[in-house]
Amino acid sequence: MSDTTSTSDTTSPSDTTSTAARDDIRAGRTSLGIELGSTRIKACLIGADATEVLATGSFAWENRLEDGLWTYAIDEVWAGLQAAYAELVADADNRHGVRPETFGAIGISAMMHGYLAFDAQGELLTPFRTWRNTNTGVAAAELTDLLGVNIPLRWSIAHLHQAVVDGEAHVPQLDFVTTLAGYVHAKLTGERVLGVGDASGMFPIDSATGDYDERMLRAYDTLAAERLPATARELLPTVLSAGAAAGALTAEGAALLDPTGALQAGIPLCPPEGDAGTGMVATNSVSPRTGNVSAGTSIFAMVVLERPLAEVHHELDLVTTPAGDAVAMVHCNNGASELAAWAGLFTRFSAAAGQPLSDDAVFDTLFREALDGEADAGGLLAYNHLAGEPIAGLTAGRPLFVRTPDSAFTLANFMRSQLYGVFGTLALGMQVLAAEGVELDRMFAHGGMFRTAGVAQRFLAGALGAPVAVGELASEGGAWGIAVLASYLAHADTQTLGEYLDREVFASASLAVADPDPVDVAGFTAYLDRYRAGLAIEAAATTAL
């Protein structure tokens, strides 16, 4: 039966939707977003209506600790991209009966920060150094003093300068330094560019110009004079704001993404962005007094500022939205990984007991149990530190669960302490923002731990003392966010990014909002006091173990 043949005079809504989706895919009225996250590479295809997800694909991967540094193999970048893309194509075929061969636009995003360094022939000079590494303390401190803004350990300029300070052999061969998103984009298009949000995690941005801060560039060039083969501007990617043309898919790039040869060249790409920027887009948090919390392997909060901060704070990064507006970021290296490890233990217990439960069922059961816990988690204390945590003053991590003899050791309290532990370091950083007088109208949350309705969201509202919203459109996370940024290419001439999100994407979005419960606020405050005091235990563990 052909697509136009019908056995009925009526057409169901699902048939109409499927036909429209097929037409969009065939005509290339779609946007493809791919995000290389910490644990998954995700691909997301949206139609002419950006709220409609037409197909998805993914690939699981993990970072590795090699020679004392966290890294991913470059070969695995491409194996993962190809696998995620192939799965998306197969999903589109399965759901809509058509395999996409072109798109209206493509966007690439990835973990921010880190260090990918290349020579003039495009050869990688060192293994990829990710955001998770904390070996850049000397460089970060020197740069913070020099530039007068906080330069965190994970920023690309800190990695670059640490290589200079250490006199690494590859430094004289440097021709280009970029992030993971910038690297993939350059291979697909030949363009050495970066979205301003991702670039703001490489080197400080002047929001007035939407470019690297010129005064700071000159200061760094003076500091690194005769130790680098080029100026900082020559080594770093060109900065572009959301909606700017960022090149087109080359034939070589198409073959890299789709080795079958079906994908056509010539598709425009939006500026490559970091996962913080795509999180802001996915939660419509690009305007002043809005913010979002993204919880995954790491956890971070982004708050769009109304005015500059009065002081420099080591707990805060100053980055930007994809449109270049100033943002304060509270970034914690450790997120939900330890929570997932405990859930895995209970999953295995259910199987060993002969009553196996799925991962999702275990998470749902444990999260709902936490609702019955005491407001302060009964005196229990959980640290999720698998890696170092600069906000807490820790250069290494040791996951810990601690209780006193008189604490109430119940499953409900245990799980509440684990959920509180995910938000512990984040809350320390958010208190610094509150002391600066920064106010929020709304905070959006996204990430897998918010899938169980009303649990992690409620506890986060208590931890922040502010309303927390969770929206259905954020379910695909950053991959959907970068797909939306790709779709914005066709609207940038007539609307700002904020206007496009408000009018075209989120106008009819439904949100579940959790207001802070005063009992939860008081309980988390008591928990955080113990958490802060117990950091001495963490510090001792990193020395002893």
PDB file of all heavy atoms in Angstrom, residues 455-469:
ATOM      1  N   VAL A 455      10.290  14.027  43.631  1.00  0.00           N
ATOM      2  CA  VAL A 455      11.228  13.606  44.678  1.00  0.00           C
ATOM      3  C   VAL A 455      12.488  14.475  44.630  1.00  0.00           C
ATOM      4  O   VAL A 455      12.644  15.404  45.432  1.00  0.00           O
ATOM      5  CB  VAL A 455      11.579  12.112  44.563  1.00  0.00           C
ATOM      6  CG1 VAL A 455      12.508  11.704  45.714  1.00  0.00           C
ATOM      7  CG2 VAL A 455      10.319  11.260  44.592  1.00  0.00           C
ATOM      8  N   ALA A 456      13.406  14.199  43.682  1.00  0.00           N
ATOM      9  CA  ALA A 456      14.619  15.011  43.593  1.00  0.00           C
ATOM     10  C   ALA A 456      14.270  16.484  43.376  1.00  0.00           C
ATOM     11  O   ALA A 456      14.945  17.380  43.904  1.00  0.00           O
ATOM     12  CB  ALA A 456      15.512  14.505  42.463  1.00  0.00           C
ATOM     13  N   GLN A 457      13.216  16.751  42.625  1.00  0.00           N
ATOM     14  CA  GLN A 457      12.775  18.121  42.386  1.00  0.00           C
ATOM     15  C   GLN A 457      12.409  18.805  43.696  1.00  0.00           C
ATOM     16  O   GLN A 457      12.795  19.952  43.958  1.00  0.00           O
ATOM     17  CB  GLN A 457      11.585  18.103  41.434  1.00  0.00           C
ATOM     18  CG  GLN A 457      10.997  19.469  41.124  1.00  0.00           C
ATOM     19  CD  GLN A 457       9.717  19.367  40.307  1.00  0.00           C
ATOM     20  OE1 GLN A 457       9.195  18.281  40.104  1.00  0.00           O
ATOM     21  NE2 GLN A 457       9.212  20.502  39.860  1.00  0.00           N
ATOM     22  N   ARG A 458      11.656  18.114  44.539  1.00  0.00           N
ATOM     23  CA  ARG A 458      11.252  18.669  45.833  1.00  0.00           C
ATOM     24  C   ARG A 458      12.455  18.931  46.726  1.00  0.00           C
ATOM     25  O   ARG A 458      12.566  19.988  47.355  1.00  0.00           O
ATOM     26  CB  ARG A 458      10.284  17.705  46.521  1.00  0.00           C
ATOM     27  CG  ARG A 458      10.004  18.051  47.972  1.00  0.00           C
ATOM     28  CD  ARG A 458       9.120  17.024  48.644  1.00  0.00           C
ATOM     29  NE  ARG A 458       9.348  17.000  50.078  1.00  0.00           N
ATOM     30  CZ  ARG A 458       8.721  16.178  50.920  1.00  0.00           C
ATOM     31  NH1 ARG A 458       7.832  15.324  50.444  1.00  0.00           N
ATOM     32  NH2 ARG A 458       8.987  16.219  52.212  1.00  0.00           N
ATOM     33  N   PHE A 459      13.393  17.972  46.768  1.00  0.00           N
ATOM     34  CA  PHE A 459      14.556  18.140  47.625  1.00  0.00           C
ATOM     35  C   PHE A 459      15.457  19.267  47.130  1.00  0.00           C
ATOM     36  O   PHE A 459      16.067  19.983  47.923  1.00  0.00           O
ATOM     37  CB  PHE A 459      15.343  16.834  47.720  1.00  0.00           C
ATOM     38  CG  PHE A 459      14.598  15.723  48.418  1.00  0.00           C
ATOM     39  CD1 PHE A 459      14.934  14.394  48.195  1.00  0.00           C
ATOM     40  CD2 PHE A 459      13.555  15.993  49.288  1.00  0.00           C
ATOM     41  CE1 PHE A 459      14.257  13.374  48.837  1.00  0.00           C
ATOM     42  CE2 PHE A 459      12.865  14.981  49.936  1.00  0.00           C
ATOM     43  CZ  PHE A 459      13.216  13.661  49.705  1.00  0.00           C
ATOM     44  N   LEU A 460      15.543  19.433  45.800  1.00  0.00           N
ATOM     45  CA  LEU A 460      16.341  20.529  45.266  1.00  0.00           C
ATOM     46  C   LEU A 460      15.706  21.878  45.627  1.00  0.00           C
ATOM     47  O   LEU A 460      16.415  22.838  45.954  1.00  0.00           O
ATOM     48  CB  LEU A 460      16.478  20.399  43.746  1.00  0.00           C
ATOM     49  CG  LEU A 460      17.289  21.491  43.052  1.00  0.00           C
ATOM     50  CD1 LEU A 460      18.717  21.551  43.590  1.00  0.00           C
ATOM     51  CD2 LEU A 460      17.324  21.259  41.537  1.00  0.00           C
ATOM     52  N   ALA A 461      14.384  21.961  45.567  1.00  0.00           N
ATOM     53  CA  ALA A 461      13.704  23.193  45.978  1.00  0.00           C
ATOM     54  C   ALA A 461      14.025  23.521  47.433  1.00  0.00           C
ATOM     55  O   ALA A 461      14.262  24.687  47.785  1.00  0.00           O
ATOM     56  CB  ALA A 461      12.194  23.059  45.773  1.00  0.00           C
ATOM     57  N   GLY A 462      14.070  22.499  48.281  1.00  0.00           N
ATOM     58  CA  GLY A 462      14.433  22.718  49.673  1.00  0.00           C
ATOM     59  C   GLY A 462      15.877  23.134  49.831  1.00  0.00           C
ATOM     60  O   GLY A 462      16.209  23.970  50.675  1.00  0.00           O
ATOM     61  N   ALA A 463      16.749  22.556  49.004  1.00  0.00           N
ATOM     62  CA  ALA A 463      18.173  22.885  49.094  1.00  0.00           C
ATOM     63  C   ALA A 463      18.454  24.311  48.645  1.00  0.00           C
ATOM     64  O   ALA A 463      19.319  24.994  49.201  1.00  0.00           O
ATOM     65  CB  ALA A 463      18.984  21.904  48.249  1.00  0.00           C
ATOM     66  N   LEU A 464      17.724  24.781  47.623  1.00  0.00           N
ATOM     67  CA  LEU A 464      17.956  26.113  47.068  1.00  0.00           C
ATOM     68  C   LEU A 464      17.071  27.168  47.698  1.00  0.00           C
ATOM     69  O   LEU A 464      17.334  28.373  47.548  1.00  0.00           O
ATOM     70  CB  LEU A 464      17.723  26.105  45.551  1.00  0.00           C
ATOM     71  CG  LEU A 464      18.581  25.154  44.718  1.00  0.00           C
ATOM     72  CD1 LEU A 464      18.245  25.310  43.243  1.00  0.00           C
ATOM     73  CD2 LEU A 464      20.059  25.394  44.961  1.00  0.00           C
ATOM     74  N   GLY A 465      15.992  26.752  48.362  1.00  0.00           N
ATOM     75  CA  GLY A 465      15.047  27.714  48.901  1.00  0.00           C
ATOM     76  C   GLY A 465      14.356  28.500  47.813  1.00  0.00           C
ATOM     77  O   GLY A 465      14.026  29.671  47.990  1.00  0.00           O
ATOM     78  N   ALA A 466      14.128  27.862  46.657  1.00  0.00           N
ATOM     79  CA  ALA A 466      13.516  28.537  45.512  1.00  0.00           C
ATOM     80  C   ALA A 466      12.660  27.534  44.752  1.00  0.00           C
ATOM     81  O   ALA A 466      12.914  26.321  44.797  1.00  0.00           O
ATOM     82  CB  ALA A 466      14.591  29.113  44.585  1.00  0.00           C
ATOM     83  N   PRO A 467      11.631  28.018  44.025  1.00  0.00           N
ATOM     84  CA  PRO A 467      10.811  27.106  43.225  1.00  0.00           C
ATOM     85  C   PRO A 467      11.655  26.416  42.144  1.00  0.00           C
ATOM     86  O   PRO A 467      12.514  27.048  41.525  1.00  0.00           O
ATOM     87  CB  PRO A 467       9.758  28.023  42.591  1.00  0.00           C
ATOM     88  CG  PRO A 467       9.737  29.247  43.444  1.00  0.00           C
ATOM     89  CD  PRO A 467      11.133  29.411  43.947  1.00  0.00           C
ATOM     90  N   VAL A 468      11.385  25.140  41.932  1.00  0.00           N
ATOM     91  CA  VAL A 468      12.094  24.366  40.909  1.00  0.00           C
ATOM     92  C   VAL A 468      11.071  23.785  39.949  1.00  0.00           C
ATOM     93  O   VAL A 468      10.119  23.123  40.363  1.00  0.00           O
ATOM     94  CB  VAL A 468      12.940  23.250  41.542  1.00  0.00           C
ATOM     95  CG1 VAL A 468      13.538  22.344  40.459  1.00  0.00           C
ATOM     96  CG2 VAL A 468      14.053  23.839  42.402  1.00  0.00           C
ATOM     97  N   ALA A 469      11.272  24.052  38.659  1.00  0.00           N
ATOM     98  CA  ALA A 469      10.361  23.564  37.624  1.00  0.00           C
ATOM     99  C   ALA A 469      11.019  22.441  36.838  1.00  0.00           C
ATOM    100  O   ALA A 469      12.226  22.450  36.595  1.00  0.00           O
ATOM    101  CB  ALA A 469       9.975  24.703  36.685  1.00  0.00           C
TER     102      ALA A 469
END
